[in-house]
Amino acid sequence: MILPGATLGLLGGGQLGRMFVFAARSMGYRVIVLDPEADCPAAQVADRHLAAAYDDEHAMELLARECAAVTTEFENVPAASLEYLAARVPVRPGANAVAIAQDRALEKTFLREHGLATARFAIVDDAEAIASALREVGAPALLKTTRLGYDGKGQARVDDLDSAQRAFAALGGVRCVLEERVALQREISVVLGRGADGEVRCYPVTENWHRDGILDISLAPARVAEETRTHAMSMATAIAAKLDYCGVLAVEFFVSSDGRLLVNEFAPRPHNSGHWTLDAAITSQFEQQVRALCGLPLGDTRVFGGAAMLNLLGDLWHGAQASAWENILRQPGAKLHLYGKQEARVGRKMGHVTCLGETPELALESALRLKGELGIS
Ligand code: AMP
């Protein structure tokens, strides 16, 4: 076990990193953050910030020397950097899991090989492969780049061969996955922690609503049938086991209108749909990440009542910011989290607010009321 007082390394300095740092420091650890950007959200609260590239040799060497263990807060860290560090210090989750999660083709193939249901898909390596991929998958479909897509970026809708070819060109002619466009009944996710010894603890299943491809509201516990709940948890647990995973893992699912439960994607880190655990669970997903990283026993994932989390995007900053805070802070059951980002671009995640209630329905009611008051459509 790596005990409090030790120094932990974190690759990535965004909001997930910031909340990890808060959890680690409140437990008595020191944290060194590596992120090229000055004044990034995690650097503002860390013990030390290395403002360098993710493959900077000097920074890697320093992390390996100073840290008892290293983790990552975003999946696009070069797998080679994780491998370099892993030869010197425990890195959790491991480079292999991160490499699979950062590439949609690897991820989907991994799921298929392990018998875990996904939307129908085919890999498109070049323009010649489009027609056969479309025959295999069928329309309507979505074309997604295999790498660096997030929040609906790097995706295009496909309705026929013509639009598929245009989409492929618009995405830059890079390697893509063509995916069946699923008629969605609901989107849900499972966030879990898996310890170095294979112990798994799942948080209650969360319901997620997106707006323009970006998470808008998460509600927990999800209002889904018991069978869906247990099926989602067992699929997420199987993914973690097959990756020999250590850390917090988030698995996003589609529930299709014809009743299928399909894995959309997984993230090798704490996840936006688990932010509510900060305020409503015995152990937050960030504390769980610290525990898994340090080889501590996992914390209890049970929750107090219901929680509805509302993302606060940069759009809000272009409106009446001062009155927005007043509105949020006036609600005794609403918990405000801001990430310390200076530049409020439209669609950028600037913070979130979690509304608590005795039941998920009551929490959702508060979140929707607040959303209306903030003028979010
Ligand atoms: P992603 O970045 O792949 O998670 O996609 C972002 C959002 O786009 C998802 O949460 C869904 O709302 C929607 N989406 C992505 N893929 C599909 C699909 N195959 N069928 C229907 N909706 C999708």
mmCIF file of all heavy atoms in Angstrom, residues 205-254:
data_model
loop_
_atom_site.group_PDB
_atom_site.id
_atom_site.type_symbol
_atom_site.label_atom_id
_atom_site.label_comp_id
_atom_site.label_asym_id
_atom_site.label_seq_id
_atom_site.Cartn_x
_atom_site.Cartn_y
_atom_site.Cartn_z
ATOM 1 N N VAL A 205 -25.981 2.640 -11.350
ATOM 2 C CA VAL A 205 -26.072 3.007 -12.773
ATOM 3 C C VAL A 205 -26.595 4.438 -12.881
ATOM 4 O O VAL A 205 -27.463 4.864 -12.116
ATOM 5 C CB VAL A 205 -27.009 2.019 -13.500
ATOM 6 C CG1 VAL A 205 -27.251 2.462 -14.938
ATOM 7 C CG2 VAL A 205 -26.408 0.614 -13.467
ATOM 8 N N THR A 206 -26.032 5.185 -13.833
ATOM 9 C CA THR A 206 -26.404 6.590 -14.039
ATOM 10 C C THR A 206 -27.095 6.753 -15.393
ATOM 11 O O THR A 206 -26.717 6.112 -16.368
ATOM 12 C CB THR A 206 -25.122 7.454 -13.999
ATOM 13 O OG1 THR A 206 -24.478 7.258 -12.749
ATOM 14 C CG2 THR A 206 -25.428 8.926 -14.170
ATOM 15 N N GLU A 207 -28.108 7.605 -15.426
ATOM 16 C CA GLU A 207 -28.798 7.948 -16.681
ATOM 17 C C GLU A 207 -28.180 9.221 -17.223
ATOM 18 O O GLU A 207 -27.954 10.159 -16.441
ATOM 19 C CB GLU A 207 -30.248 8.321 -16.346
ATOM 20 C CG GLU A 207 -31.272 7.304 -16.658
ATOM 21 C CD GLU A 207 -32.637 7.820 -16.210
ATOM 22 O OE1 GLU A 207 -33.276 8.560 -16.970
ATOM 23 O OE2 GLU A 207 -33.052 7.480 -15.087
ATOM 24 N N ASN A 208 -27.951 9.295 -18.525
ATOM 25 C CA ASN A 208 -27.290 10.477 -19.096
ATOM 26 C C ASN A 208 -28.078 11.063 -20.263
ATOM 27 O O ASN A 208 -28.533 10.318 -21.114
ATOM 28 C CB ASN A 208 -25.895 10.104 -19.579
ATOM 29 C CG ASN A 208 -25.046 9.517 -18.465
ATOM 30 O OD1 ASN A 208 -24.916 10.117 -17.394
ATOM 31 N ND2 ASN A 208 -24.511 8.346 -18.685
ATOM 32 N N TRP A 209 -28.190 12.370 -20.262
ATOM 33 C CA TRP A 209 -28.784 13.080 -21.405
ATOM 34 C C TRP A 209 -27.737 13.978 -22.029
ATOM 35 O O TRP A 209 -27.034 14.684 -21.299
ATOM 36 C CB TRP A 209 -29.962 13.958 -20.971
ATOM 37 C CG TRP A 209 -31.177 13.197 -20.639
ATOM 38 C CD1 TRP A 209 -32.094 12.677 -21.497
ATOM 39 C CD2 TRP A 209 -31.624 12.857 -19.323
ATOM 40 N NE1 TRP A 209 -33.079 12.031 -20.799
ATOM 41 C CE2 TRP A 209 -32.814 12.125 -19.477
ATOM 42 C CE3 TRP A 209 -31.132 13.087 -18.046
ATOM 43 C CZ2 TRP A 209 -33.535 11.633 -18.393
ATOM 44 C CZ3 TRP A 209 -31.822 12.592 -16.968
ATOM 45 C CH2 TRP A 209 -33.007 11.879 -17.152
ATOM 46 N N HIS A 210 -27.667 13.959 -23.341
ATOM 47 C CA HIS A 210 -26.700 14.789 -24.057
ATOM 48 C C HIS A 210 -27.417 15.889 -24.817
ATOM 49 O O HIS A 210 -28.571 15.733 -25.198
ATOM 50 C CB HIS A 210 -25.893 13.939 -25.041
ATOM 51 C CG HIS A 210 -25.044 12.922 -24.348
ATOM 52 N ND1 HIS A 210 -25.546 11.726 -23.891
ATOM 53 C CD2 HIS A 210 -23.733 12.928 -24.024
ATOM 54 C CE1 HIS A 210 -24.574 11.038 -23.311
ATOM 55 N NE2 HIS A 210 -23.459 11.743 -23.381
ATOM 56 N N ARG A 211 -26.680 16.977 -25.028
ATOM 57 C CA ARG A 211 -27.172 18.067 -25.859
ATOM 58 C C ARG A 211 -26.041 18.415 -26.814
ATOM 59 O O ARG A 211 -24.919 18.645 -26.351
ATOM 60 C CB ARG A 211 -27.517 19.269 -24.970
ATOM 61 C CG ARG A 211 -28.457 20.271 -25.593
ATOM 62 C CD ARG A 211 -29.104 21.132 -24.493
ATOM 63 N NE ARG A 211 -28.116 21.594 -23.522
ATOM 64 C CZ ARG A 211 -27.558 22.803 -23.529
ATOM 65 N NH1 ARG A 211 -27.905 23.688 -24.426
ATOM 66 N NH2 ARG A 211 -26.668 23.151 -22.611
ATOM 67 N N ASP A 212 -26.293 18.385 -28.104
ATOM 68 C CA ASP A 212 -25.255 18.624 -29.115
ATOM 69 C C ASP A 212 -24.036 17.730 -28.881
ATOM 70 O O ASP A 212 -22.890 18.187 -28.988
ATOM 71 C CB ASP A 212 -24.814 20.104 -29.114
ATOM 72 C CG ASP A 212 -25.984 21.050 -29.347
ATOM 73 O OD1 ASP A 212 -26.917 20.648 -30.066
ATOM 74 O OD2 ASP A 212 -25.970 22.168 -28.792
ATOM 75 N N GLY A 213 -24.273 16.478 -28.510
ATOM 76 C CA GLY A 213 -23.169 15.531 -28.317
ATOM 77 C C GLY A 213 -22.426 15.695 -26.996
ATOM 78 O O GLY A 213 -21.496 14.945 -26.715
ATOM 79 N N ILE A 214 -22.804 16.676 -26.178
ATOM 80 C CA ILE A 214 -22.111 16.926 -24.902
ATOM 81 C C ILE A 214 -23.043 16.547 -23.753
ATOM 82 O O ILE A 214 -24.237 16.851 -23.797
ATOM 83 C CB ILE A 214 -21.709 18.417 -24.751
ATOM 84 C CG1 ILE A 214 -20.894 18.867 -25.969
ATOM 85 C CG2 ILE A 214 -20.940 18.654 -23.468
ATOM 86 C CD1 ILE A 214 -20.565 20.354 -25.959
ATOM 87 N N LEU A 215 -22.486 15.892 -22.737
ATOM 88 C CA LEU A 215 -23.311 15.524 -21.587
ATOM 89 C C LEU A 215 -23.959 16.772 -20.985
ATOM 90 O O LEU A 215 -23.284 17.765 -20.731
ATOM 91 C CB LEU A 215 -22.450 14.808 -20.535
ATOM 92 C CG LEU A 215 -23.211 14.279 -19.324
ATOM 93 C CD1 LEU A 215 -24.196 13.182 -19.717
ATOM 94 C CD2 LEU A 215 -22.241 13.738 -18.269
ATOM 95 N N ASP A 216 -25.257 16.686 -20.777
ATOM 96 C CA ASP A 216 -26.001 17.810 -20.209
ATOM 97 C C ASP A 216 -26.366 17.492 -18.758
ATOM 98 O O ASP A 216 -25.958 18.198 -17.838
ATOM 99 C CB ASP A 216 -27.251 18.040 -21.074
ATOM 100 C CG ASP A 216 -28.088 19.219 -20.619
ATOM 101 O OD1 ASP A 216 -27.531 20.121 -19.953
ATOM 102 O OD2 ASP A 216 -29.298 19.232 -20.914
ATOM 103 N N ILE A 217 -27.114 16.390 -18.574
ATOM 104 C CA ILE A 217 -27.546 16.004 -17.226
ATOM 105 C C ILE A 217 -27.244 14.531 -16.983
ATOM 106 O O ILE A 217 -27.436 13.696 -17.857
ATOM 107 C CB ILE A 217 -29.065 16.244 -17.064
ATOM 108 C CG1 ILE A 217 -29.367 17.748 -17.008
ATOM 109 C CG2 ILE A 217 -29.612 15.553 -15.825
ATOM 110 C CD1 ILE A 217 -30.801 18.091 -16.679
ATOM 111 N N SER A 218 -26.764 14.231 -15.777
ATOM 112 C CA SER A 218 -26.654 12.839 -15.318
ATOM 113 C C SER A 218 -27.555 12.679 -14.106
ATOM 114 O O SER A 218 -27.586 13.561 -13.238
ATOM 115 C CB SER A 218 -25.224 12.505 -14.893
ATOM 116 O OG SER A 218 -24.416 12.317 -16.018
ATOM 117 N N LEU A 219 -28.236 11.549 -14.050
ATOM 118 C CA LEU A 219 -29.164 11.286 -12.943
ATOM 119 C C LEU A 219 -28.846 9.930 -12.329
ATOM 120 O O LEU A 219 -28.711 8.933 -13.045
ATOM 121 C CB LEU A 219 -30.603 11.295 -13.478
ATOM 122 C CG LEU A 219 -31.703 10.963 -12.468
ATOM 123 C CD1 LEU A 219 -31.773 12.027 -11.374
ATOM 124 C CD2 LEU A 219 -33.055 10.844 -13.169
ATOM 125 N N ALA A 220 -28.749 9.905 -11.004
ATOM 126 C CA ALA A 220 -28.443 8.640 -10.329
ATOM 127 C C ALA A 220 -29.279 8.516 -9.050
ATOM 128 O O ALA A 220 -29.562 9.527 -8.415
ATOM 129 C CB ALA A 220 -26.962 8.584 -9.975
ATOM 130 N N PRO A 221 -29.655 7.304 -8.681
ATOM 131 C CA PRO A 221 -29.566 6.088 -9.470
ATOM 132 C C PRO A 221 -30.512 6.138 -10.672
ATOM 133 O O PRO A 221 -31.563 6.771 -10.594
ATOM 134 C CB PRO A 221 -30.001 4.983 -8.494
ATOM 135 C CG PRO A 221 -29.819 5.588 -7.127
ATOM 136 C CD PRO A 221 -30.071 7.038 -7.290
ATOM 137 N N ALA A 222 -30.113 5.472 -11.755
ATOM 138 C CA ALA A 222 -30.904 5.503 -12.988
ATOM 139 C C ALA A 222 -32.263 4.834 -12.781
ATOM 140 O O ALA A 222 -32.383 3.889 -12.017
ATOM 141 C CB ALA A 222 -30.144 4.768 -14.091
ATOM 142 N N ARG A 223 -33.252 5.351 -13.520
ATOM 143 C CA ARG A 223 -34.597 4.765 -13.447
ATOM 144 C C ARG A 223 -34.719 3.711 -14.540
ATOM 145 O O ARG A 223 -35.369 3.934 -15.548
ATOM 146 C CB ARG A 223 -35.646 5.870 -13.583
ATOM 147 C CG ARG A 223 -35.510 6.962 -12.506
ATOM 148 C CD ARG A 223 -36.151 8.247 -12.917
ATOM 149 N NE ARG A 223 -35.619 8.714 -14.190
ATOM 150 C CZ ARG A 223 -36.146 9.676 -14.918
ATOM 151 N NH1 ARG A 223 -37.216 10.307 -14.498
ATOM 152 N NH2 ARG A 223 -35.606 10.029 -16.065
ATOM 153 N N VAL A 224 -34.036 2.594 -14.344
ATOM 154 C CA VAL A 224 -34.088 1.522 -15.346
ATOM 155 C C VAL A 224 -34.503 0.219 -14.662
ATOM 156 O O VAL A 224 -34.405 0.093 -13.439
ATOM 157 C CB VAL A 224 -32.718 1.307 -16.043
ATOM 158 C CG1 VAL A 224 -32.379 2.461 -16.955
ATOM 159 C CG2 VAL A 224 -31.603 1.082 -15.025
ATOM 160 N N ALA A 225 -34.940 -0.734 -15.489
ATOM 161 C CA ALA A 225 -35.365 -2.030 -14.959
ATOM 162 C C ALA A 225 -34.183 -2.716 -14.275
ATOM 163 O O ALA A 225 -33.029 -2.535 -14.678
ATOM 164 C CB ALA A 225 -35.887 -2.898 -16.098
ATOM 165 N N GLU A 226 -34.496 -3.481 -13.261
ATOM 166 C CA GLU A 226 -33.476 -4.219 -12.501
ATOM 167 C C GLU A 226 -32.578 -5.050 -13.427
ATOM 168 O O GLU A 226 -31.357 -5.102 -13.270
ATOM 169 C CB GLU A 226 -34.225 -5.118 -11.495
ATOM 170 C CG GLU A 226 -33.357 -5.984 -10.608
ATOM 171 C CD GLU A 226 -32.444 -5.175 -9.691
ATOM 172 O OE1 GLU A 226 -32.694 -3.969 -9.478
ATOM 173 O OE2 GLU A 226 -31.448 -5.759 -9.221
ATOM 174 N N GLU A 227 -33.209 -5.643 -14.430
ATOM 175 C CA GLU A 227 -32.468 -6.502 -15.353
ATOM 176 C C GLU A 227 -31.411 -5.683 -16.142
ATOM 177 O O GLU A 227 -30.282 -6.124 -16.332
ATOM 178 C CB GLU A 227 -33.501 -7.099 -16.314
ATOM 179 C CG GLU A 227 -32.997 -8.211 -17.167
ATOM 180 C CD GLU A 227 -33.998 -8.507 -18.283
ATOM 181 O OE1 GLU A 227 -35.201 -8.212 -18.117
ATOM 182 O OE2 GLU A 227 -33.535 -9.000 -19.326
ATOM 183 N N THR A 228 -31.808 -4.482 -16.570
ATOM 184 C CA THR A 228 -30.875 -3.606 -17.310
ATOM 185 C C THR A 228 -29.719 -3.197 -16.402
ATOM 186 O O THR A 228 -28.553 -3.185 -16.803
ATOM 187 C CB THR A 228 -31.619 -2.339 -17.799
ATOM 188 O OG1 THR A 228 -32.774 -2.756 -18.508
ATOM 189 C CG2 THR A 228 -30.748 -1.464 -18.667
ATOM 190 N N ARG A 229 -30.081 -2.867 -15.186
ATOM 191 C CA ARG A 229 -29.092 -2.424 -14.191
ATOM 192 C C ARG A 229 -28.034 -3.516 -13.966
ATOM 193 O O ARG A 229 -26.832 -3.253 -14.058
ATOM 194 C CB ARG A 229 -29.855 -2.143 -12.886
ATOM 195 C CG ARG A 229 -29.184 -1.234 -11.907
ATOM 196 C CD ARG A 229 -30.089 -1.024 -10.691
ATOM 197 N NE ARG A 229 -30.294 -2.265 -9.945
ATOM 198 C CZ ARG A 229 -29.387 -2.805 -9.144
ATOM 199 N NH1 ARG A 229 -28.234 -2.206 -8.956
ATOM 200 N NH2 ARG A 229 -29.630 -3.944 -8.504
ATOM 201 N N THR A 230 -28.491 -4.731 -13.703
ATOM 202 C CA THR A 230 -27.533 -5.793 -13.382
ATOM 203 C C THR A 230 -26.740 -6.205 -14.627
ATOM 204 O O THR A 230 -25.555 -6.490 -14.548
ATOM 205 C CB THR A 230 -28.217 -7.034 -12.773
ATOM 206 O OG1 THR A 230 -29.280 -7.415 -13.631
ATOM 207 C CG2 THR A 230 -28.783 -6.743 -11.414
ATOM 208 N N HIS A 231 -27.406 -6.166 -15.793
ATOM 209 C CA HIS A 231 -26.724 -6.516 -17.028
ATOM 210 C C HIS A 231 -25.606 -5.497 -17.314
ATOM 211 O O HIS A 231 -24.482 -5.868 -17.658
ATOM 212 C CB HIS A 231 -27.762 -6.554 -18.165
ATOM 213 C CG HIS A 231 -27.244 -7.129 -19.441
ATOM 214 N ND1 HIS A 231 -27.955 -7.109 -20.617
ATOM 215 C CD2 HIS A 231 -26.073 -7.710 -19.747
ATOM 216 C CE1 HIS A 231 -27.229 -7.662 -21.567
ATOM 217 N NE2 HIS A 231 -26.097 -8.040 -21.071
ATOM 218 N N ALA A 232 -25.910 -4.204 -17.155
ATOM 219 C CA ALA A 232 -24.907 -3.154 -17.409
ATOM 220 C C ALA A 232 -23.730 -3.309 -16.450
ATOM 221 O O ALA A 232 -22.561 -3.221 -16.852
ATOM 222 C CB ALA A 232 -25.545 -1.773 -17.276
ATOM 223 N N MET A 233 -24.032 -3.551 -15.186
ATOM 224 C CA MET A 233 -22.938 -3.700 -14.209
ATOM 225 C C MET A 233 -22.087 -4.917 -14.522
ATOM 226 O O MET A 233 -20.860 -4.868 -14.387
ATOM 227 C CB MET A 233 -23.514 -3.818 -12.799
ATOM 228 C CG MET A 233 -23.986 -2.500 -12.254
ATOM 229 S SD MET A 233 -24.434 -2.718 -10.536
ATOM 230 C CE MET A 233 -24.934 -1.069 -10.116
ATOM 231 N N SER A 234 -22.728 -6.005 -14.963
ATOM 232 C CA SER A 234 -21.912 -7.198 -15.206
ATOM 233 C C SER A 234 -21.075 -7.011 -16.478
ATOM 234 O O SER A 234 -19.936 -7.474 -16.550
ATOM 235 C CB SER A 234 -22.748 -8.479 -15.217
ATOM 236 O OG SER A 234 -23.443 -8.581 -16.424
ATOM 237 N N MET A 235 -21.606 -6.280 -17.474
ATOM 238 C CA MET A 235 -20.786 -6.012 -18.665
ATOM 239 C C MET A 235 -19.600 -5.110 -18.307
ATOM 240 O O MET A 235 -18.466 -5.336 -18.753
ATOM 241 C CB MET A 235 -21.635 -5.375 -19.769
ATOM 242 C CG MET A 235 -22.477 -6.403 -20.530
ATOM 243 S SD MET A 235 -23.750 -5.618 -21.534
ATOM 244 C CE MET A 235 -22.909 -5.341 -23.050
ATOM 245 N N ALA A 236 -19.843 -4.084 -17.518
ATOM 246 C CA ALA A 236 -18.757 -3.165 -17.134
ATOM 247 C C ALA A 236 -17.698 -3.915 -16.320
ATOM 248 O O ALA A 236 -16.483 -3.724 -16.519
ATOM 249 C CB ALA A 236 -19.316 -1.985 -16.337
ATOM 250 N N THR A 237 -18.157 -4.781 -15.443
ATOM 251 C CA THR A 237 -17.221 -5.563 -14.616
ATOM 252 C C THR A 237 -16.391 -6.497 -15.488
ATOM 253 O O THR A 237 -15.185 -6.662 -15.282
ATOM 254 C CB THR A 237 -18.016 -6.363 -13.552
ATOM 255 O OG1 THR A 237 -18.789 -5.430 -12.789
ATOM 256 C CG2 THR A 237 -17.102 -7.148 -12.634
ATOM 257 N N ALA A 238 -17.040 -7.073 -16.520
ATOM 258 C CA ALA A 238 -16.323 -7.980 -17.430
ATOM 259 C C ALA A 238 -15.260 -7.204 -18.211
ATOM 260 O O ALA A 238 -14.138 -7.692 -18.397
ATOM 261 C CB ALA A 238 -17.312 -8.649 -18.388
ATOM 262 N N ILE A 239 -15.588 -6.002 -18.664
ATOM 263 C CA ILE A 239 -14.610 -5.185 -19.397
ATOM 264 C C ILE A 239 -13.385 -4.921 -18.506
ATOM 265 O O ILE A 239 -12.238 -5.101 -18.920
ATOM 266 C CB ILE A 239 -15.241 -3.856 -19.875
ATOM 267 C CG1 ILE A 239 -16.294 -4.140 -20.950
ATOM 268 C CG2 ILE A 239 -14.173 -2.891 -20.400
ATOM 269 C CD1 ILE A 239 -17.144 -2.940 -21.325
ATOM 270 N N ALA A 240 -13.661 -4.519 -17.263
ATOM 271 C CA ALA A 240 -12.556 -4.219 -16.338
ATOM 272 C C ALA A 240 -11.686 -5.454 -16.108
ATOM 273 O O ALA A 240 -10.451 -5.370 -16.103
ATOM 274 C CB ALA A 240 -13.112 -3.690 -15.018
ATOM 275 N N ALA A 241 -12.340 -6.609 -15.967
ATOM 276 C CA ALA A 241 -11.580 -7.839 -15.706
ATOM 277 C C ALA A 241 -10.738 -8.201 -16.923
ATOM 278 O O ALA A 241 -9.564 -8.545 -16.797
ATOM 279 C CB ALA A 241 -12.534 -8.970 -15.344
ATOM 280 N N LYS A 242 -11.332 -8.083 -18.114
ATOM 281 C CA LYS A 242 -10.606 -8.496 -19.329
ATOM 282 C C LYS A 242 -9.452 -7.545 -19.646
ATOM 283 O O LYS A 242 -8.495 -7.920 -20.309
ATOM 284 C CB LYS A 242 -11.565 -8.604 -20.510
ATOM 285 C CG LYS A 242 -12.645 -9.644 -20.231
ATOM 286 C CD LYS A 242 -13.254 -10.249 -21.438
ATOM 287 C CE LYS A 242 -14.453 -11.127 -21.087
ATOM 288 N NZ LYS A 242 -14.075 -12.320 -20.299
ATOM 289 N N LEU A 243 -9.549 -6.305 -19.166
ATOM 290 C CA LEU A 243 -8.436 -5.359 -19.344
ATOM 291 C C LEU A 243 -7.404 -5.513 -18.229
ATOM 292 O O LEU A 243 -6.399 -4.820 -18.224
ATOM 293 C CB LEU A 243 -8.961 -3.913 -19.327
ATOM 294 C CG LEU A 243 -9.802 -3.439 -20.518
ATOM 295 C CD1 LEU A 243 -10.446 -2.090 -20.198
ATOM 296 C CD2 LEU A 243 -8.942 -3.328 -21.768
ATOM 297 N N ASP A 244 -7.701 -6.380 -17.257
ATOM 298 C CA ASP A 244 -6.903 -6.497 -16.031
ATOM 299 C C ASP A 244 -6.676 -5.094 -15.459
ATOM 300 O O ASP A 244 -5.558 -4.663 -15.164
ATOM 301 C CB ASP A 244 -5.571 -7.190 -16.308
ATOM 302 C CG ASP A 244 -4.902 -7.600 -15.004
ATOM 303 O OD1 ASP A 244 -5.630 -7.713 -13.989
ATOM 304 O OD2 ASP A 244 -3.669 -7.766 -14.987
ATOM 305 N N TYR A 245 -7.783 -4.394 -15.328
ATOM 306 C CA TYR A 245 -7.807 -2.969 -15.074
ATOM 307 C C TYR A 245 -7.557 -2.638 -13.612
ATOM 308 O O TYR A 245 -8.041 -3.338 -12.714
ATOM 309 C CB TYR A 245 -9.195 -2.447 -15.490
ATOM 310 C CG TYR A 245 -9.253 -0.964 -15.627
ATOM 311 C CD1 TYR A 245 -8.846 -0.349 -16.800
ATOM 312 C CD2 TYR A 245 -9.707 -0.169 -14.580
ATOM 313 C CE1 TYR A 245 -8.885 1.025 -16.924
ATOM 314 C CE2 TYR A 245 -9.752 1.196 -14.693
ATOM 315 C CZ TYR A 245 -9.337 1.789 -15.871
ATOM 316 O OH TYR A 245 -9.380 3.140 -15.988
ATOM 317 N N CYS A 246 -6.867 -1.546 -13.364
ATOM 318 C CA CYS A 246 -6.757 -1.034 -11.995
ATOM 319 C C CYS A 246 -7.049 0.464 -12.014
ATOM 320 O O CYS A 246 -6.373 1.226 -12.699
ATOM 321 C CB CYS A 246 -5.370 -1.292 -11.425
ATOM 322 S SG CYS A 246 -5.253 -0.721 -9.724
ATOM 323 N N GLY A 247 -8.079 0.863 -11.275
ATOM 324 C CA GLY A 247 -8.449 2.277 -11.236
ATOM 325 C C GLY A 247 -9.941 2.421 -11.448
ATOM 326 O O GLY A 247 -10.698 1.448 -11.373
ATOM 327 N N VAL A 248 -10.361 3.665 -11.725
ATOM 328 C CA VAL A 248 -11.774 3.940 -12.011
ATOM 329 C C VAL A 248 -11.981 3.826 -13.516
ATOM 330 O O VAL A 248 -11.193 4.366 -14.299
ATOM 331 C CB VAL A 248 -12.182 5.338 -11.487
ATOM 332 C CG1 VAL A 248 -13.558 5.741 -12.002
ATOM 333 C CG2 VAL A 248 -12.167 5.345 -9.963
ATOM 334 N N LEU A 249 -13.019 3.098 -13.894
ATOM 335 C CA LEU A 249 -13.356 2.876 -15.302
ATOM 336 C C LEU A 249 -14.813 3.287 -15.500
ATOM 337 O O LEU A 249 -15.658 2.978 -14.659
ATOM 338 C CB LEU A 249 -13.204 1.384 -15.635
ATOM 339 C CG LEU A 249 -13.621 0.947 -17.044
ATOM 340 C CD1 LEU A 249 -12.547 1.325 -18.058
ATOM 341 C CD2 LEU A 249 -13.855 -0.562 -17.100
ATOM 342 N N ALA A 250 -15.091 3.989 -16.606
ATOM 343 C CA ALA A 250 -16.478 4.368 -16.898
ATOM 344 C C ALA A 250 -16.896 3.709 -18.207
ATOM 345 O O ALA A 250 -16.162 3.792 -19.197
ATOM 346 C CB ALA A 250 -16.585 5.882 -17.026
ATOM 347 N N VAL A 251 -18.037 3.067 -18.202
ATOM 348 C CA VAL A 251 -18.543 2.418 -19.413
ATOM 349 C C VAL A 251 -19.879 3.055 -19.783
ATOM 350 O O VAL A 251 -20.794 3.105 -18.957
ATOM 351 C CB VAL A 251 -18.713 0.892 -19.210
ATOM 352 C CG1 VAL A 251 -19.159 0.236 -20.513
ATOM 353 C CG2 VAL A 251 -17.413 0.273 -18.707
ATOM 354 N N GLU A 252 -19.951 3.576 -21.019
ATOM 355 C CA GLU A 252 -21.194 4.201 -21.502
ATOM 356 C C GLU A 252 -21.972 3.197 -22.335
ATOM 357 O O GLU A 252 -21.395 2.500 -23.165
ATOM 358 C CB GLU A 252 -20.861 5.409 -22.381
ATOM 359 C CG GLU A 252 -20.189 6.547 -21.647
ATOM 360 C CD GLU A 252 -19.902 7.706 -22.600
ATOM 361 O OE1 GLU A 252 -20.800 8.116 -23.348
ATOM 362 O OE2 GLU A 252 -18.755 8.174 -22.596
ATOM 363 N N PHE A 253 -23.274 3.174 -22.120
ATOM 364 C CA PHE A 253 -24.145 2.231 -22.831
ATOM 365 C C PHE A 253 -25.275 2.963 -23.544
ATOM 366 O O PHE A 253 -25.736 4.016 -23.099
ATOM 367 C CB PHE A 253 -24.841 1.290 -21.840
ATOM 368 C CG PHE A 253 -23.925 0.377 -21.085
ATOM 369 C CD1 PHE A 253 -23.353 0.797 -19.882
ATOM 370 C CD2 PHE A 253 -23.659 -0.903 -21.527
ATOM 371 C CE1 PHE A 253 -22.524 -0.051 -19.162
ATOM 372 C CE2 PHE A 253 -22.838 -1.756 -20.813
ATOM 373 C CZ PHE A 253 -22.268 -1.332 -19.621
ATOM 374 N N PHE A 254 -25.761 2.341 -24.618
ATOM 375 C CA PHE A 254 -27.029 2.731 -25.236
ATOM 376 C C PHE A 254 -28.063 1.688 -24.839
ATOM 377 O O PHE A 254 -27.779 0.485 -24.895
ATOM 378 C CB PHE A 254 -26.933 2.701 -26.765
ATOM 379 C CG PHE A 254 -25.934 3.663 -27.356
ATOM 380 C CD1 PHE A 254 -25.184 3.293 -28.463
ATOM 381 C CD2 PHE A 254 -25.763 4.934 -26.836
ATOM 382 C CE1 PHE A 254 -24.271 4.174 -29.032
ATOM 383 C CE2 PHE A 254 -24.852 5.823 -27.397
ATOM 384 C CZ PHE A 254 -24.103 5.437 -28.496
#
